[in-house]
Amino acid sequence: MQQAQRFLKLTAWGAIGLVTLVGMGAVVIRALNGLGVTNLNFIVPWGLWVAFYIYFIGLSAGSFLMSTMVYVFGFKKLESIGRLALFSALIFLIAGMNFVLIDLGRMERFWTVFVNRNLWSVLEIEIHFYVLYIVILTLELWLLMRRDLVVCGQGNDWKARICRILAFGSKDVSDESVARDRRIVRVLGIIGLPVAIGVHGGTGALFAVVKARPMWYGPLFPIIFIVSALASGSALLTFVLAFFAGKGMAKQERDELVLLLGKITAGFLAFDLLLLWSEFSVGIYGNIPEDLEVMRLILFGPFWWVFWFVQIIFGAFVPLLIIFLPATGKNPKWVGLAGFMVVVGIIGVRLNIVIPALSIPVLPGLDEAYTMLPAPTQAFTTYPPVILTWLNRFAILAALGTFGIFGLIALRRLRGQEAYRFQRGLVSIGTAVAVLAIALFVLRWVGGTAVTTLGLGISGLDLTQTPIGGILGQTELHSFYIPSPNEWLSSAGLIGMAIIMFAVGYMVLPLESKEGH
Amino acid sequence: MNDTKTASKPTSLSVQESRRRFLSKFVSPVFGGLMAPAVESMEQETIMTLAEEPTTKVAASPAKATPGISPISGESSVIDQMLADLQRALEKRERGEKVRFGMAVDLRKCTGCRACTVACKAENMTPPEVSYNVVLEEEIGTYPNVRRVFMYKPCFHCENPPCTPVCPVGATYKREEDGIVVIDYDVCIGCRYCLTACPYGSRFIDLGKTYTDPPQPYESSASPEYGENRIRVEGGSPVGNARKCHFCIHRVYRGMLPACAETCIGRAIHFGDLDDPESVVARLIAERPSIRLKEELGTEPNVYYLL
């Protein structure tokens, strides 16, 4: 059993390492060849990398805000994950910055942002926030680990050597010194709170100030960013604590903490959904063409599944179900899984923030005015039917249907049998997903440009005239951007690097050793 | 365009002068327009040698070349009138006064031939996926009552450009003295924030692509943009930078019209100083009903569309 587990672990890390290695190769290719390796164009100048940039900044800011709950607001229950939260904030901030770096047209000039200044630019203001934030983060983390570093530096092995270096000559292990550290941390946390809000609210403001894009423009956007950052930050901590961290804690304590974090995540997620509803309902009711087109693209465009499946079902609906259902909500493993789903689902949120808003040209006909889009991008309007031929679609529907029916039968059989609680939870969620997926396919079918993606082979039926499509408009929806292989690989490389850095840091640094508070 | 030659080669003035009079008197604007790119390519070398000279010096001499042509009313002389306008604007600049370059685009005269797009490509040597101007098309009505509207669209050089304040390094800015929105290729980091911020899609990213592989001379030689003679294929700026229309600033300060305005076969594109009430653009805007795009955003574009 133990051997099998070790083998699994090795395989997993080997896979991550390999992907990271290949991905970093892609980053090198991108650095050498410039932005030509991407599928970005003048209509969609920001793509996958910017989406990941705001994703990781969100994870970072969310984690940091969770840590302020401990060190500023004195929320003692979360004490044991305070350092972990700070550390993940640091790692993911670096990951976010890496994505900005590879996204620059002239990478070698990244440092000039500190020389050539335009203080009226939100991006420049953000850069200041990032610098301030990284300083506060590092200081806080160091002060919190200081005594443990001194203690662990007393050995003679390689770990002790690293600890000694990181302790920066500090030798004081007295309780007074720890109390002093905590006072400084509190002050730093108080300063850090508005900075963290500035970091992610400001990242939202990058988009919110762009009046050229009605979907982005508006005061709600920075708030959405902060709330979704909090949701992703707390979800990340739930996931990490449930499956990896917390080895030094009592099982009881750890389980309770996971459930608590799950509840916090659910709260933020629900609030995030409310904001999403507000944004979409007002936008669709308002019926401003540029705004409505973007929303149609998100809801019914070629990438409709990113919204419905990744963002809503996988990233919000199922996690909420898991956390609130009595069968699963009391099991820390389930709640940890819910956390993981939210962390992944937020990627969909970020993608849908960046790309659809840009995919509607600012002037009608701009995309056709001059045929300058490269072949792969232009061919993209015919992309979904190739991926999802009607046979494919039929297979998916059949599989989902079978799964749903069998799930319902299995649920009936399992009813009342306490021993199979876990299985019952699994089946009920699977069934819910299958039923929802079928419902969504139907929704997609009636929703607008279904001809190209889910016509199910029925010809001669103009589905653009169907109920929802009719309400939301009837024009064909295009997307001008699909990430190139290099974009995917580079992203995988940078994400893998962040994961490895996180794991190494977790192994080496005293991120959760118990100390007297 | 011939005025430039007079700037650098004063000896050939008489020849140039007579040829131009010939053009303006006897040749239809359409023919003149077709001639322009050809003449222009012959001048390419002249322009490049000029690039090193300070602009004020260059601007001074063509002024003497034009007074002979008095504005004649009628279509055939519109180019001459615009050239005269430009001379006055350049004189104003020499006196240290501000000008406000802008355009008036006559939508009735645009035939959608896209000579402007091609002329711009040839002049500024823009790579694939970069085109400082485009011609938008729209069909209005249904058959038999149908009409196609063509709309030439350069950068509008807005009075309140939304693209410049977002630049984190201040690489793009609106020039105080003539209102042209420019990009400093040596400063731009290529973040593309300005591309998302422009409500008119007037900004582009240079992805380092070329039309030919290996690059043929027409795209591997130096581009005259901003008088900087940059060679793109070497991988340096402007590769990886944002790029945009700059009203052919390198031509304008040598007394020439922007390539698109000069080439336009229907004379739909008028260029000049909007602050000069006597200029063709100012008069057209005053006389004809005109619109500017997306006025509700408060950008105050300096390109007007005459209806």
Side-chain angles (χ1 to χ4, degrees):
Chain A
M1 188 65 200
Q2 200 126 47
Q3 215 164 7
Q5 213 158 19
R6 191 184 296 164
F7 179 74
L8 259 175
K9 218 170 165 177
L10 266 176
T11 320
W13 281 111
I16 291 176
L18 199 70
V19 168
T20 309
L21 212 65
V22 174
M24 291 321 283
V27 171
V28 171
I29 290 173
R30 181 258 169 270
L32 294 177
N33 293 342
L35 282 180
V37 299
T38 67
N39 272 350
L40 297 166
N41 52 64
F42 79 102
I43 290 185
V44 186
W46 283 350
L48 192 67
W49 291 340
V50 171
F52 273 122
Y53 149 61
I54 59 174
Y55 172 72
F56 280 114
I57 298 292
L59 273 184
S60 174
S63 303
F64 182 82
L65 290 172
M66 292 301 284
S67 83
T68 58
M69 280 196 175
V70 183
Y71 303 118
V72 178
F73 300 113
F75 198 60
K76 285 275 182 277
K77 276 185 175 175
L78 298 176
E79 176 97 45
S80 43
I81 52 150
R83 293 182 196 176
L84 194 67
L86 279 174
F87 183 65
S88 66
L90 186 63
I91 292 296
F92 292 127
L93 181 78
I94 293 168
M97 293 295 104
N98 280 341
F99 273 104
V100 180
L101 180 64
I102 63 166
D103 193 60
L104 289 183
R106 296 209 72 86
M107 283 169 86
E108 79 280 7
R109 288 183 193 158
F110 77 94
W111 57 274
T112 60
V113 294
F114 300 110
V115 184
N116 301 317
R117 310 178 75 76
N118 174 20
L119 279 177
W120 195 242
S121 166
V122 184
L123 195 50
E124 180 79 0
I125 295 169
E126 275 307 287
I127 289 161
H128 293 121
F129 267 120
Y130 295 150
V131 171
L132 200 58
Y133 180 66
I134 209 162
V135 168
I136 291 172
L137 261 181
T138 322
L139 271 178
E140 257 194 66
L141 193 59
W142 184 78
L143 283 170
L144 287 169
M145 295 190 306
R146 191 193 55 85
R147 185 161 80 168
D148 290 345
L149 284 172
V150 175
V151 171
C152 98
Q154 278 155 358
N156 251 334
D157 53 344
W158 61 273
K159 204 169 165 180
R161 221 164 284 153
I162 294 174
C163 285
R164 267 202 297 280
I165 295 166
L166 287 176
F168 291 107
S170 173
K171 290 206 169 61
D172 200 347
V173 287
S174 62
D175 283 344
E176 296 87 70
S177 72
V178 173
R180 184 205 60 208
D181 288 348
R182 289 302 287 260
R183 275 198 303 277
I184 303 174
V185 166
R186 191 175 148 78
V187 173
L188 283 173
I190 292 169
I191 303 168
L193 188 64
V195 173
I197 291 174
V199 160
H200 208 55
T203 306
L206 282 182
F207 298 89
V209 297
V210 176
K211 61 183 170 188
R213 316 276 171 178
M215 177 74 187
W216 290 350
Y217 181 72
L220 192 59
F221 230 63
I223 310 300
I224 293 179
F225 266 62
I226 292 168
V227 174
S228 59
L230 282 165
S232 65
S234 50
L236 177 81
L237 291 175
T238 314
F239 165 60
V240 172
L241 187 64
F243 292 106
F244 304 105
K247 297 279 191 284
M249 295 158 74
K251 191 180 178 309
Q252 178 72 17
E253 190 193 350
R254 179 176 156 189
D255 289 357
E256 270 172 27
L257 193 51
V258 171
L259 297 188
L260 175 68
L261 279 169
K263 291 274 188 300
I264 294 173
T265 308
F268 286 135
L269 201 58
F271 190 37
D272 198 31
L273 284 178
L274 180 71
L275 291 176
L276 186 81
W277 167 252
S278 172
E279 193 192 4
F280 273 74
S281 57
V282 172
I284 289 170
Y285 189 92
N287 198 7
I288 297 168
E290 296 100 323
D291 207 356
L292 186 69
E293 285 286 286
V294 176
M295 287 177 187
R296 287 185 61 220
L297 194 64
I298 293 172
L299 298 176
F300 302 118
F303 286 109
W304 63 284
W305 51 271
V306 173
F307 179 81
W308 293 105
F309 281 136
V310 181
Q311 187 175 339
I312 297 297
I313 295 189
F314 192 82
F317 187 81
V318 175
L320 283 179
L321 215 62
I322 290 176
I323 291 165
F324 286 121
L325 274 183
T328 49
K330 292 196 172 64
N331 185 337
K333 291 277 182 257
W334 273 111
V335 174
L337 181 69
F340 173 73
M341 291 172 88
V342 174
V343 170
V344 174
I346 299 276
I347 297 177
V349 179
R350 302 308 187 216
L351 284 169
N352 269 335
I353 283 172
V354 176
I355 300 166
L358 294 168
S359 292
I360 304 298
V362 282
L363 290 174
L366 195 62
D367 49 312
E368 286 157 6
Y370 178 76
T371 48
M372 49 182 139
L373 293 177
T377 321
Q378 241 183 2
F380 179 56
T381 43
T382 56
Y383 173 73
V386 176
I387 294 280
L388 287 171
T389 58
W390 74 267
L391 200 70
N392 255 336
R393 284 173 234 138
F394 185 74
I396 292 170
L397 270 184
L400 287 172
T402 319
F403 196 57
I405 291 162
F406 276 93
L408 286 172
I409 295 169
L411 268 186
R412 264 183 72 93
R413 293 219 176 131
L414 285 172
R415 190 187 289 159
Q417 294 185 31
E418 271 311 299
Y420 293 103
R421 248 178 57 184
F422 189 79
Q423 284 86 337
R424 206 174 55 190
L426 194 73
V427 171
S428 55
I429 282 165
T431 314
V433 169
V435 170
L436 261 168
I438 294 169
L440 278 177
F441 271 111
V442 172
L443 179 70
R444 166 66 183 162
W445 187 50
V446 294
T449 56
V451 194
T452 48
T453 40
L454 204 87
L456 287 170
I458 307 165
S459 55
L461 184 65
D462 188 4
L463 291 171
T464 54
Q465 300 294 336
T466 50
I468 294 173
I471 294 166
L472 293 182
Q474 281 145 18
T475 47
E476 189 75 15
L477 292 163
H478 296 261
S479 188
F480 298 102
Y481 167 77
I482 172 168
S484 72
N486 186 289
E487 279 174 87
W488 284 115
L489 278 176
S490 300
S491 302
L494 292 186
I495 293 169
M497 204 168 74
I499 293 172
I500 290 170
M501 272 165 73
F502 192 94
V504 169
Y506 181 74
M507 282 194 307
V508 174
L509 297 173
L511 286 174
E512 50 182 36
S513 103
K514 292 176 155 246
E515 70 171 62
H517 327 121
Chain B
M1 115 205 68
N2 296 343
D3 305 283
T4 334
K5 283 202 172 167
T6 62
S8 58
K9 301 181 205 162
T11 43
S12 63
L13 186 123
S14 56
V15 182
Q16 293 301 317
E17 195 76 343
S18 63
R19 195 164 122 218
R20 181 135 73 93
R21 283 189 184 182
F22 170 81
L23 273 177
S24 60
K25 271 181 194 162
F26 303 108
V27 183
S28 74
V30 177
F31 184 52
L34 287 174
M35 290 276 292
V39 180
E40 195 179 283
S41 61
M42 297 193 311
E43 286 178 349
Q44 202 64 62
E45 271 189 35
T46 325
I47 290 169
M48 277 168 195
T49 51
L50 268 169
E52 265 68 44
E53 295 180 29
T55 42
T56 41
K57 219 195 258 173
V58 184
S61 35
K64 289 162 200 142
T66 29
I69 292 108
S70 55
I72 316 156
S73 58
E75 289 295 281
S76 62
S77 66
V78 148
I79 264 253
D80 292 331
Q81 291 181 41
M82 288 196 289
L83 283 168
D85 292 349
L86 183 54
Q87 289 316 318
R88 282 203 307 281
L90 292 178
E91 278 162 28
K92 256 170 91 177
R93 285 284 301 108
E94 227 173 305
R95 290 197 299 272
E97 292 170 40
K98 285 181 186 173
V99 295
R100 185 160 62 98
F101 284 126
M103 280 183 175
V105 181
D106 196 336
L107 289 178
R108 292 188 198 175
K109 287 183 178 173
C110 180
T111 63
C113 72
R114 290 171 171 79
C116 47
T117 307
V118 175
C120 176
K121 280 220 150 276
E123 175 70 29
N124 296 303
M125 299 179 174
T126 51
E129 299 185 54
V130 177
S131 180
Y132 295 165
N133 70 56
V134 293
V135 178
L136 303 174
E137 275 186 53
E138 198 175 350
E139 206 166 274
I140 295 172
T142 43
Y143 180 83
N145 297 315
V146 66
R147 182 164 72 101
R148 226 178 162 74
V149 175
F150 301 102
M151 199 173 77
Y152 152 83
K153 187 196 72 66
C155 169
F156 294 160
H157 298 271
C158 307
E159 279 306 292
N160 306 311
C163 52
T164 55
V166 300
C167 179
V169 289
T172 181
Y173 53 94
K174 188 173 175 68
R175 282 160 56 111
E176 282 277 306
E177 61 269 32
D178 52 21
I180 297 178
V181 178
V182 294
I183 298 172
D184 188 338
Y185 287 150
D186 288 327
V187 175
C188 172
I189 56 172
C191 71
R192 310 188 295 292
Y193 197 177
C194 55
L195 272 80
T196 69
C198 174
Y200 307 105
S202 293
R203 284 174 170 261
F204 301 85
I205 174 76
D206 190 329
L207 295 166
K209 296 179 181 173
T210 50
Y211 285 104
T212 48
D213 185 28
Q216 297 300 299
Y218 74 87
E219 53 184 343
S220 60
S221 45
S223 157
E225 278 184 279
Y226 303 114
E228 284 169 347
N229 292 336
R230 290 176 191 272
I231 298 174
R232 253 188 95 252
V233 289
E234 285 165 4
S237 285
V239 171
N241 289 134
R243 299 184 68 172
K244 68 182 288 296
C245 159
H246 36 65
F247 276 164
C248 284
I249 201 164
H250 56 284
R251 289 171 59 92
V252 166
Y253 276 87
R254 291 178 183 97
M256 296 184 288
L257 295 173
C260 52
E262 191 183 72
T263 304
C264 182
I265 60 161
R267 291 279 165 265
I269 305 171
H270 305 89
F271 175 82
D273 178 12
L274 290 169
D275 279 349
D276 176 0
E278 295 301 309
S279 68
V280 174
V281 276
R283 275 186 292 158
L284 279 171
I285 291 162
E287 284 164 16
R288 300 262 305 267
S290 65
I291 57 157
R292 295 184 292 181
L293 296 189
K294 296 192 185 179
E295 289 245 40
E296 72 275 14
L297 295 181
T299 50
E300 306 266 332
N302 275 326
V303 173
Y304 291 74
Y305 288 100
L306 307 172
L307 301 174

